[in-house]
Amino acid sequence: MWLFYFEVFMNITCTEMIRLCPLACGPGSLILQIDSCPVAFVLPFPSQVVYNRVGKCGSRTVVLLLRILSEKHGFNLVTSDIHNKTRLTKNEQMELIKNISTAEQPYLFTRHVHFLNFSRFGGDQPVYINIIRDPVNRFLSNYFFRRFGDWRGEQNHMIRTPSMRQEERYLDINVCILENYPECSNPRLFYIIPYFCGQHPRCREPGEWALERAKLNVNENFLLVGILEELEDVLLLLERFLPHYFKDVLSIYKNPEHRKLGNLTVTVKKTVPSPEAIQILYQRMRYEYEFYYYVKEQFHLLKRKFGLKSHIRKPRPRPEFFIPSPLETEEPIDDEEEDDEKWLEDIYKR
């Protein structure tokens, strides 16, 4: 839906009353003119963007880019001090939506939070963007990141998870999966879909209902959901769709200094589970993979529509899922997210 409005807007023709003003206002901005006399400035479309970033899907890289871009282009980057609360009560939803909606426009709000329906509480629905990745790869990255951190420092994992017992920190990934530890089982593995399904309790239950609702929200509320494995193409499309936010993002991303900082966020001590354990993960994450391949297909259709070719290796065959027994769903455990903003502040102090 948002892509339809975007295409209509980008194809507006000049008239005596409304003219595109690319030089004075920037790409995609409007200025009203009567008898060639400017009378009113209209905010760039869209002027309200939410990036409800999925954990361990390149979000720290994108947030670092947004920090640079907000200074360069002058938009309002709104962040949050809360990094580990993705599910909200009704009152918390109302409060957060109110705070976001009253931010100075044009704004881009970013936080680890499941999809929020602004219109349900009488607000203007913003444009959403997001990025996901292969579900097993995301899970493995998070598993080892919580235990051993990344290249920013050998001891940063001790600060992040100080209460983790040593036997848990060094728990073999195969044991965790094959012996069905909570961290390697549902509902903990049902992670990506709730970011798109929303705040309804059923969005946390692995199943068709949450999957279909997530697909519906992608179609109706997200301008773009990209694939981390094709990040450069994601950035190209973001620059095309949202130039007043993402103009020059790819050149900044490819800058050697940024690349050097980005390399520090690579998770350390990752090991690959056995084929048997991987197959079990595929079975447990069947809905996550259905969603991932759906989003990937939509993303590739979008790339072809705008003339982008996929320069990627031949994809792995899709996992063959067995029909699982009904999934017993208990209350999910809160995820421990990295304090992104503190890390970014440290970088800018260097």
Side-chain angles (χ1 to χ4, degrees):
M1 183 179 72
W2 275 112
L3 184 58
F4 168 77
Y5 288 129
F6 170 79
E7 289 175 332
V8 170
F9 172 79
M10 293 304 290
N11 287 293
I12 290 176
T13 57
C14 294
T15 66
E16 290 186 3
M17 292 296 294
I18 302 178
R19 295 180 182 175
L20 285 174
C21 182
L23 295 179
C25 313
S29 299
L30 288 179
I31 194 166
L32 300 183
Q33 297 185 356
I34 298 178
D35 296 327
S36 301
C37 177
V39 296
F41 176 71
V42 180
L43 286 164
F45 175 85
S47 60
Q48 303 171 80
V49 179
V50 172
Y51 170 34
N52 63 320
R53 58 189 194 268
V54 181
K56 302 309 295 175
C57 290
S59 62
R60 282 181 294 155
T61 294
V62 177
V63 170
L64 175 57
L65 290 169
L66 286 170
R67 286 283 178 129
I68 299 170
L69 291 166
S70 65
E71 293 185 5
K72 181 179 177 68
H73 301 315
F75 64 85
N76 183 18
L77 179 61
V78 184
T79 59
S80 172
D81 294 329
I82 301 172
H83 308 286
N84 61 352
K85 189 173 179 60
T86 56
R87 304 184 303 275
L88 309 178
T89 66
K90 182 178 179 180
N91 288 337
E92 289 171 336
Q93 292 177 59
M94 293 174 61
E95 185 67 22
L96 180 56
I97 288 171
K98 177 182 177 182
N99 291 339
I100 297 172
S101 299
T102 55
E104 181 181 356
Q105 299 182 29
Y107 70 72
L108 190 152
F109 174 79
T110 179
R111 172 179 160 178
H112 294 293
V113 65
H114 295 167
F115 174 79
L116 294 163
N117 188 341
F118 282 59
S119 59
R120 178 189 174 197
F121 299 101
D124 294 329
Q125 190 71 6
V127 168
Y128 273 84
I129 58 173
N130 217 321
I131 300 173
I132 64 174
R133 71 191 289 190
D134 178 276
V136 165
N137 287 340
R138 194 218 69 83
F139 162 73
L140 294 176
S141 180
N142 185 65
Y143 184 89
F144 292 104
F145 177 73
R146 291 185 64 241
R147 286 161 170 76
F148 307 113
D150 51 36
W151 289 109
R152 286 173 293 156
E154 294 180 358
Q155 299 301 318
N156 60 29
H157 61 283
M158 301 298 296
I159 299 172
R160 184 174 303 104
T161 53
S163 61
M164 184 179 285
R165 302 187 306 274
Q166 287 296 93
E167 56 267 29
E168 181 183 0
R169 191 178 303 280
Y170 292 96
L171 176 65
D172 184 272
I173 183 69
N174 290 299
V175 173
C176 183
I177 297 168
L178 297 176
E179 297 188 13
N180 207 24
Y181 279 66
E183 186 176 359
C184 300
S185 308
N186 281 307
R188 293 291 296 276
L189 295 179
F190 194 69
Y191 183 88
I192 297 174
I193 287 175
Y195 276 88
F196 300 88
C197 179
Q199 298 290 335
H200 194 285
R202 291 186 68 183
C203 288
R204 305 194 293 271
E205 299 178 6
E208 292 290 338
W209 190 92
L211 171 64
E212 294 305 318
R213 182 158 174 159
K215 289 180 181 178
L216 182 65
N217 278 332
V218 166
N219 294 334
E220 293 190 349
N221 294 291
F222 284 79
L223 178 64
L224 177 68
V225 182
I227 302 297
L228 182 61
E229 293 85 350
E230 302 170 44
L231 181 57
E232 290 193 8
D233 287 342
V234 177
L235 298 178
L236 277 172
L237 287 176
L238 285 171
E239 184 170 0
R240 179 77 177 268
F241 294 165
L242 301 170
H244 44 291
Y245 294 97
F246 287 96
K247 188 177 187 303
D248 300 323
V249 65
L250 196 56
S251 60
I252 296 171
Y253 173 70
K254 289 184 174 181
N255 183 289
E257 285 302 310
H258 177 271
R259 287 284 192 175
K260 185 165 61 177
L261 291 174
N263 289 338
L264 295 176
T265 67
V266 176
T267 303
V268 300
K269 296 189 178 182
K270 272 198 286 190
T271 60
V272 180
S274 68
E276 180 187 2
I278 290 289
Q279 181 60 35
I280 289 175
L281 283 179
Y282 280 150
Q283 295 173 42
R284 292 174 184 169
M285 304 174 85
R286 60 169 300 190
Y287 295 113
E288 294 276 277
Y289 269 101
E290 284 189 43
F291 181 73
Y292 172 73
Y293 283 119
Y294 175 81
V295 168
K296 191 173 185 178
E297 182 179 10
Q298 298 301 309
F299 180 65
H300 286 170
L301 287 172
L302 199 58
K303 285 172 58 175
R304 287 196 292 272
K305 183 178 178 67
F306 286 90
L308 295 180
K309 296 181 179 179
S310 295
H311 300 287
I312 56 176
R313 293 173 296 179
K314 184 177 180 181
R316 295 179 301 175
R318 295 190 183 189
E320 295 183 3
F321 299 103
F322 297 100
I323 304 283
S325 58
L327 296 169
E328 296 296 329
T329 305
E330 55 188 84
E331 184 66 18
I333 303 171
D334 283 337
D335 300 296
E336 298 181 39
E337 300 289 359
E338 168 72 358
D339 188 339
D340 297 334
E341 316 312 327
K342 184 178 186 305
W343 173 67
L344 291 170
E345 290 173 4
D346 292 341
I347 284 178
Y348 279 95
K349 290 177 183 177
R350 293 176 183 174

Short mmCIF file of all heavy atoms in Angstrom, two decimals, residues 56 58-62 64 133 141 145 149-153 156 258-268 270 338 340 343-344 347:
data_model
loop_
_atom_site.label_atom_id
_atom_site.label_comp_id
_atom_site.label_asym_id
_atom_site.label_seq_id
_atom_site.Cartn_x
_atom_site.Cartn_y
_atom_site.Cartn_z
N LYS A 56 19.77 -8.36 15.94
CA LYS A 56 20.77 -9.16 15.24
C LYS A 56 20.46 -9.29 13.75
O LYS A 56 20.70 -10.32 13.13
CB LYS A 56 20.93 -10.55 15.87
CG LYS A 56 21.32 -10.53 17.34
CD LYS A 56 22.54 -9.65 17.61
CE LYS A 56 23.80 -10.15 16.94
NZ LYS A 56 24.95 -9.22 17.12
N GLY A 58 21.52 -6.59 11.60
CA GLY A 58 22.25 -5.46 11.05
C GLY A 58 21.80 -4.11 11.57
O GLY A 58 22.19 -3.07 11.03
N SER A 59 21.03 -4.09 12.66
CA SER A 59 20.45 -2.82 13.10
C SER A 59 21.50 -1.84 13.62
O SER A 59 21.35 -0.63 13.44
CB SER A 59 19.38 -3.07 14.17
OG SER A 59 19.92 -3.67 15.32
N ARG A 60 22.56 -2.34 14.25
CA ARG A 60 23.57 -1.40 14.75
C ARG A 60 24.30 -0.71 13.61
O ARG A 60 24.65 0.46 13.70
CB ARG A 60 24.55 -2.13 15.68
CG ARG A 60 23.98 -2.37 17.06
CD ARG A 60 24.97 -3.06 17.96
NE ARG A 60 25.24 -4.40 17.50
CZ ARG A 60 26.36 -5.06 17.76
NH1 ARG A 60 27.30 -4.49 18.45
NH2 ARG A 60 26.52 -6.30 17.33
N THR A 61 24.51 -1.43 12.52
CA THR A 61 25.11 -0.81 11.33
C THR A 61 24.19 0.27 10.78
O THR A 61 24.64 1.38 10.46
CB THR A 61 25.37 -1.88 10.25
OG1 THR A 61 26.35 -2.78 10.72
CG2 THR A 61 25.85 -1.24 8.96
N VAL A 62 22.89 -0.03 10.68
CA VAL A 62 21.95 0.93 10.11
C VAL A 62 21.79 2.14 11.03
O VAL A 62 21.72 3.28 10.56
CB VAL A 62 20.59 0.26 9.84
CG1 VAL A 62 19.58 1.28 9.33
CG2 VAL A 62 20.75 -0.86 8.83
N LEU A 64 24.02 3.39 13.04
CA LEU A 64 25.22 4.21 12.88
C LEU A 64 25.10 5.05 11.61
O LEU A 64 25.43 6.25 11.62
CB LEU A 64 26.45 3.31 12.81
CG LEU A 64 27.79 4.00 12.52
CD1 LEU A 64 28.07 5.08 13.57
CD2 LEU A 64 28.93 2.99 12.50
N ARG A 133 16.84 -11.32 8.40
CA ARG A 133 17.89 -12.19 7.84
C ARG A 133 17.48 -13.65 8.00
O ARG A 133 16.46 -13.95 8.63
CB ARG A 133 19.23 -11.94 8.54
CG ARG A 133 19.29 -12.45 9.96
CD ARG A 133 20.50 -11.99 10.73
NE ARG A 133 21.75 -12.59 10.29
CZ ARG A 133 22.89 -12.47 10.94
NH1 ARG A 133 22.94 -11.78 12.08
NH2 ARG A 133 24.00 -13.04 10.48
N SER A 141 23.80 -16.00 15.62
CA SER A 141 24.48 -14.74 15.93
C SER A 141 24.12 -14.25 17.33
O SER A 141 24.98 -13.83 18.10
CB SER A 141 24.12 -13.68 14.88
OG SER A 141 24.76 -12.46 15.17
N PHE A 145 26.59 -14.04 20.53
CA PHE A 145 26.78 -12.64 20.92
C PHE A 145 26.49 -12.44 22.40
O PHE A 145 27.21 -11.73 23.11
CB PHE A 145 25.87 -11.74 20.08
CG PHE A 145 25.94 -10.29 20.45
CD1 PHE A 145 27.05 -9.53 20.11
CD2 PHE A 145 24.90 -9.68 21.12
CE1 PHE A 145 27.11 -8.18 20.44
CE2 PHE A 145 24.96 -8.34 21.46
CZ PHE A 145 26.07 -7.59 21.12
N GLY A 149 30.08 -11.68 22.94
CA GLY A 149 30.17 -10.33 22.41
C GLY A 149 30.73 -10.28 21.00
O GLY A 149 30.55 -11.19 20.20
N ASP A 150 31.44 -9.18 20.70
CA ASP A 150 32.01 -9.00 19.38
C ASP A 150 33.40 -8.40 19.51
O ASP A 150 33.98 -8.37 20.60
CB ASP A 150 31.09 -8.11 18.52
CG ASP A 150 30.71 -6.82 19.23
OD1 ASP A 150 31.57 -6.28 19.95
OD2 ASP A 150 29.57 -6.37 19.09
N TRP A 151 33.93 -7.90 18.39
CA TRP A 151 35.33 -7.44 18.38
C TRP A 151 35.54 -6.07 19.03
O TRP A 151 36.65 -5.56 19.02
CB TRP A 151 35.85 -7.41 16.95
CG TRP A 151 36.04 -8.78 16.38
CD1 TRP A 151 35.30 -9.38 15.42
CD2 TRP A 151 37.03 -9.75 16.77
NE1 TRP A 151 35.75 -10.65 15.17
CE2 TRP A 151 36.81 -10.91 15.98
CE3 TRP A 151 38.06 -9.76 17.71
CZ2 TRP A 151 37.59 -12.05 16.11
CZ3 TRP A 151 38.83 -10.90 17.82
CH2 TRP A 151 38.61 -12.02 17.04
N ARG A 152 34.47 -5.50 19.60
CA ARG A 152 34.67 -4.21 20.27
C ARG A 152 35.42 -4.34 21.58
O ARG A 152 35.89 -3.37 22.14
CB ARG A 152 33.31 -3.54 20.51
CG ARG A 152 32.69 -2.96 19.26
CD ARG A 152 31.29 -2.48 19.53
NE ARG A 152 30.40 -3.58 19.84
CZ ARG A 152 29.30 -3.43 20.56
NH1 ARG A 152 28.99 -2.28 21.08
NH2 ARG A 152 28.52 -4.47 20.79
N GLY A 153 35.51 -5.53 22.10
CA GLY A 153 36.23 -5.72 23.35
C GLY A 153 36.04 -7.11 23.86
O GLY A 153 34.94 -7.65 23.80
N ASN A 156 33.28 -7.33 26.71
CA ASN A 156 31.97 -6.65 26.67
C ASN A 156 30.82 -7.61 26.93
O ASN A 156 29.75 -7.20 27.36
CB ASN A 156 31.76 -5.89 25.35
CG ASN A 156 31.81 -6.80 24.13
OD1 ASN A 156 31.48 -7.97 24.20
ND2 ASN A 156 32.24 -6.24 23.01
N HIS A 258 33.95 3.74 7.83
CA HIS A 258 32.73 3.10 8.32
C HIS A 258 32.88 1.59 8.31
O HIS A 258 32.44 0.90 9.23
CB HIS A 258 31.53 3.51 7.49
CG HIS A 258 30.26 2.82 7.92
ND1 HIS A 258 29.87 1.60 7.42
CD2 HIS A 258 29.33 3.17 8.84
CE1 HIS A 258 28.75 1.23 8.00
NE2 HIS A 258 28.39 2.17 8.85
N ARG A 259 33.50 1.06 7.27
CA ARG A 259 33.70 -0.39 7.19
C ARG A 259 34.51 -0.89 8.37
O ARG A 259 34.25 -1.94 8.93
CB ARG A 259 34.42 -0.74 5.88
CG ARG A 259 33.56 -0.61 4.64
CD ARG A 259 32.61 -1.76 4.52
NE ARG A 259 31.99 -1.81 3.21
CZ ARG A 259 31.18 -2.77 2.81
NH1 ARG A 259 30.86 -3.75 3.63
NH2 ARG A 259 30.64 -2.74 1.61
N LYS A 260 35.52 -0.10 8.75
CA LYS A 260 36.37 -0.50 9.86
C LYS A 260 35.58 -0.56 11.16
O LYS A 260 35.72 -1.50 11.95
CB LYS A 260 37.54 0.48 10.00
CG LYS A 260 38.56 0.11 11.05
CD LYS A 260 39.85 0.91 10.89
CE LYS A 260 39.59 2.40 11.02
NZ LYS A 260 40.85 3.18 10.94
N LEU A 261 34.69 0.42 11.37
CA LEU A 261 33.86 0.41 12.56
C LEU A 261 32.85 -0.73 12.51
O LEU A 261 32.57 -1.38 13.51
CB LEU A 261 33.12 1.75 12.70
CG LEU A 261 33.98 2.97 13.03
CD1 LEU A 261 33.14 4.23 12.98
CD2 LEU A 261 34.63 2.81 14.39
N GLY A 262 32.30 -0.99 11.31
CA GLY A 262 31.33 -2.05 11.16
C GLY A 262 31.91 -3.41 11.48
O GLY A 262 31.23 -4.29 12.02
N ASN A 263 33.18 -3.61 11.16
CA ASN A 263 33.81 -4.90 11.42
C ASN A 263 33.88 -5.21 12.92
O ASN A 263 33.99 -6.37 13.31
CB ASN A 263 35.22 -4.94 10.82
CG ASN A 263 35.19 -5.00 9.31
OD1 ASN A 263 34.21 -5.42 8.72
ND2 ASN A 263 36.27 -4.57 8.67
N LEU A 264 33.83 -4.17 13.75
CA LEU A 264 33.90 -4.38 15.20
C LEU A 264 32.64 -5.03 15.75
O LEU A 264 32.63 -5.53 16.87
CB LEU A 264 34.14 -3.04 15.91
CG LEU A 264 35.47 -2.34 15.61
CD1 LEU A 264 35.51 -1.00 16.31
CD2 LEU A 264 36.64 -3.21 16.07
N THR A 265 31.55 -5.00 14.96
CA THR A 265 30.29 -5.54 15.45
C THR A 265 30.09 -7.00 15.06
O THR A 265 29.01 -7.56 15.30
CB THR A 265 29.10 -4.71 14.92
OG1 THR A 265 28.99 -4.90 13.50
CG2 THR A 265 29.29 -3.24 15.22
N VAL A 266 31.08 -7.62 14.46
CA VAL A 266 30.96 -9.03 14.08
C VAL A 266 31.08 -9.90 15.33
O VAL A 266 32.02 -9.77 16.11
CB VAL A 266 32.06 -9.42 13.06
CG1 VAL A 266 32.00 -10.91 12.75
CG2 VAL A 266 31.90 -8.59 11.79
N THR A 267 30.12 -10.79 15.52
CA THR A 267 30.11 -11.67 16.69
C THR A 267 31.29 -12.62 16.65
O THR A 267 31.65 -13.15 15.61
CB THR A 267 28.80 -12.47 16.73
OG1 THR A 267 27.70 -11.55 16.73
CG2 THR A 267 28.73 -13.33 17.98
N VAL A 268 31.90 -12.84 17.82
CA VAL A 268 33.08 -13.70 17.90
C VAL A 268 32.71 -15.09 18.42
O VAL A 268 31.63 -15.30 18.96
CB VAL A 268 34.17 -13.07 18.81
CG1 VAL A 268 34.59 -11.71 18.27
CG2 VAL A 268 33.68 -12.95 20.24
N LYS A 270 31.79 -17.78 17.04
CA LYS A 270 30.65 -18.51 16.49
C LYS A 270 31.10 -19.87 15.96
O LYS A 270 32.13 -19.97 15.30
CB LYS A 270 29.99 -17.72 15.35
CG LYS A 270 28.94 -16.75 15.80
CD LYS A 270 28.02 -16.31 14.69
CE LYS A 270 28.67 -15.35 13.74
NZ LYS A 270 27.70 -14.75 12.81
N GLU A 338 21.28 -5.21 22.93
CA GLU A 338 22.45 -4.38 23.14
C GLU A 338 22.04 -2.92 23.31
O GLU A 338 21.10 -2.45 22.68
CB GLU A 338 23.39 -4.50 21.93
CG GLU A 338 24.51 -3.48 21.86
CD GLU A 338 25.57 -3.75 22.90
OE1 GLU A 338 25.41 -4.68 23.69
OE2 GLU A 338 26.57 -3.01 22.92
N ASP A 340 22.45 0.03 22.02
CA ASP A 340 23.02 0.55 20.79
C ASP A 340 23.51 1.98 20.94
O ASP A 340 24.57 2.34 20.47
CB ASP A 340 21.99 0.50 19.67
CG ASP A 340 21.57 -0.92 19.36
OD1 ASP A 340 22.37 -1.83 19.61
OD2 ASP A 340 20.44 -1.11 18.87
N TRP A 343 26.87 2.54 22.67
CA TRP A 343 27.99 2.15 21.82
C TRP A 343 28.27 3.22 20.77
O TRP A 343 29.42 3.57 20.51
CB TRP A 343 27.69 0.82 21.14
CG TRP A 343 28.71 0.44 20.13
CD1 TRP A 343 30.00 0.10 20.34
CD2 TRP A 343 28.53 0.38 18.72
NE1 TRP A 343 30.63 -0.18 19.16
CE2 TRP A 343 29.75 -0.02 18.16
CE3 TRP A 343 27.43 0.62 17.90
CZ2 TRP A 343 29.90 -0.17 16.78
CZ3 TRP A 343 27.61 0.45 16.54
CH2 TRP A 343 28.82 0.07 15.99
N LEU A 344 27.22 3.79 20.16
CA LEU A 344 27.40 4.80 19.14
C LEU A 344 28.02 6.06 19.74
O LEU A 344 28.87 6.69 19.12
CB LEU A 344 26.05 5.14 18.50
CG LEU A 344 25.47 4.01 17.65
CD1 LEU A 344 24.03 4.34 17.26
CD2 LEU A 344 26.29 3.79 16.39
N ILE A 347 31.67 5.62 20.03
CA ILE A 347 32.36 5.75 18.75
C ILE A 347 32.60 7.21 18.42
O ILE A 347 33.68 7.61 17.99
CB ILE A 347 31.55 5.07 17.63
CG1 ILE A 347 31.68 3.54 17.74
CG2 ILE A 347 31.99 5.54 16.24
CD1 ILE A 347 30.89 2.78 16.71
#
